Amino acid sequence: MSPTTATRTNQRSLMPLYLATAVFAGLAMPIQSRINGALGAKLGDPVAASLVSFTTGLILLVIASLVLPGPRAGALAIPRALREKRFPLWYLAAGCVGAFVVISQTLTVPLVGVALFTVSIVTGQTLGSLLVDSLGFGPGGRRRISTIRALGAILTIAGVVWAVSPRMGSAGAIATLLVPMAVPLAVGFLMGFQAAMNGVQAQAYGTPVAATLVNFVVGGILLAILLLVRLPITGPAAALPGQWWYYLGGPLGCVFIGLSAFLVKHLGVLLTGLGMICGQLLGSLLIDVLVPASGTVIDAATIAGTLLTLAAVSLASIPGSAFRRLRK
């Protein structure tokens, strides 16, 4: 067996583990959305809430980079990687996408709810991931989008829509929310590119923790500038809340971005995105069961849509070669 063949065989044997990790990372997104949405409503300023979220995540990453050997070596490698231009410097804009994700949570979730926010951002993620993989933008190179994977992506969107359909309300109500729903749709599309850029940076620094640290620094700077520009117009935000759980959004973002940067090299952007979408949907379901918000509905459509999404991601994870062998 050649080294290349052995590597591919090993990658395929680890795929279930990588997919399970992607699902675990996706669980962080709906929890983060609920927390950041609540923080935005508490402060009365989505940008200020986003900056608080980024600051808590950045503090955690700085501590990790000072204490742990691997992250510390990655942090020290950042200036060298930038000087040597191991990747296009505009890839640093991945941190801006992270800032937009948090702003969309704090701004949109209180307006449209977690259900419609999830549908919008998942649709954008899926479309963006398809494009990124087909272009070969990520660290894993170009990955051909087979018919099976395209079908899996379509079924994923259908499953999410089905799962949240009991919470969508009337068609007229949804129509009035199309404009705010466009925000997470656009942000979700950019998340595919963010995952690819973070994956490339993780390779350059030697660890996804360093890529996540750069993300939070860049995103935090952008949010601070936005807050300062808006301050004369909007005035200061409300006082920070005393409850500790309001500050968990940043650490959860660290988990989401760090694991995404690690996984795109092994799964590609599309499969990483679909696995995380599964986690998002399962996380939303768990939140609605354990800490339901006002008006929460869980019925047969919620469960069936979740199962369809899981089946769709499983379908998309099967290599195209397996289907070609079945046809022979």
Side-chain angles (χ1 to χ4, degrees):
M1 182 183 293
S2 68
T4 303
T5 304
T7 301
R8 288 176 179 172
T9 302
N10 186 50
Q11 284 278 63
R12 288 173 182 170
S13 65
L14 290 174
M15 184 172 284
L17 176 61
Y18 291 143
L19 272 174
T21 306
V23 172
F24 171 78
L27 287 170
M29 177 65 86
I31 303 172
Q32 185 193 40
S33 297
R34 177 70 69 86
I35 291 171
N36 285 340
L39 181 60
K42 191 78 172 179
L43 298 181
D45 188 331
V47 177
S50 301
L51 182 57
V52 170
S53 179
F54 257 71
T55 301
T56 56
L58 183 57
I59 291 171
L60 178 64
L61 288 167
V62 169
I63 293 172
S65 298
L66 291 173
V67 174
L68 302 176
R72 184 166 61 246
L76 293 174
I78 293 171
R80 185 170 63 251
L82 296 178
R83 282 196 309 270
E84 295 175 358
K85 296 183 179 179
R86 296 181 187 175
F87 54 86
L89 292 183
W90 63 269
Y91 277 30
L92 297 175
C96 297
V97 177
F100 293 145
V101 170
V102 180
I103 289 176
S104 71
Q105 290 172 337
T106 57
L107 177 65
T108 311
V109 169
L111 295 176
V112 304
V114 174
L116 291 182
F117 176 86
T118 301
V119 170
S120 300
I121 203 163
V122 161
T123 303
Q125 275 181 269
T126 305
L127 296 176
S129 299
L130 279 168
L131 178 60
V132 168
D133 265 356
S134 63
L135 293 175
F137 190 69
R142 186 173 184 178
R143 295 174 183 254
R144 189 176 67 86
I145 305 301
S146 64
T147 303
I148 293 300
R149 288 196 171 175
L151 178 61
I154 294 170
L155 288 176
T156 297
I157 296 174
V160 174
V161 173
W162 191 6
V164 302
S165 60
R167 291 167 284 173
M168 282 186 174
S170 66
I174 295 174
T176 62
L177 299 174
L178 287 179
V179 173
M181 285 172 62
V183 174
L185 177 67
V187 169
F189 183 81
L190 292 175
M191 285 175 68
F193 290 88
Q194 181 200 27
M197 291 187 285
N198 283 336
V200 172
Q201 289 186 65
Q203 280 190 321
Y205 307 140
T207 170
V209 178
T212 309
L213 174 63
V214 173
N215 258 248
F216 272 74
V217 170
V218 173
I221 292 172
L222 174 64
L223 290 168
I225 293 172
L226 289 175
L227 188 63
L228 289 174
V229 170
R230 294 173 70 252
L231 192 59
I233 303 171
T234 60
L240 292 172
Q243 295 92 332
W244 60 270
W245 58 267
Y246 278 109
Y247 305 100
L248 293 180
L252 289 172
C254 295
V255 173
F256 187 87
I257 296 174
L259 289 179
S260 173
F262 167 76
L263 291 168
V264 290
K265 178 183 176 181
H266 304 284
L267 293 176
V269 177
L270 177 61
L271 273 183
T272 299
L274 294 183
M276 288 184 166
I277 286 168
C278 268
Q280 289 175 48
L281 197 55
L282 289 171
S284 297
L285 186 60
L286 285 173
I287 288 173
D288 285 345
V289 171
L290 299 176
V291 283
S294 176
T296 295
V297 178
I298 299 176
D299 61 6
T302 306
I303 298 171
T306 302
L307 293 176
L308 175 60
T309 304
L310 293 171
V313 175
S314 300
L315 177 68
S317 68
I318 300 174
S321 57
F323 289 93
R324 288 193 293 272
R325 286 195 298 269
L326 286 175
R327 289 200 297 265
K328 291 181 180 179

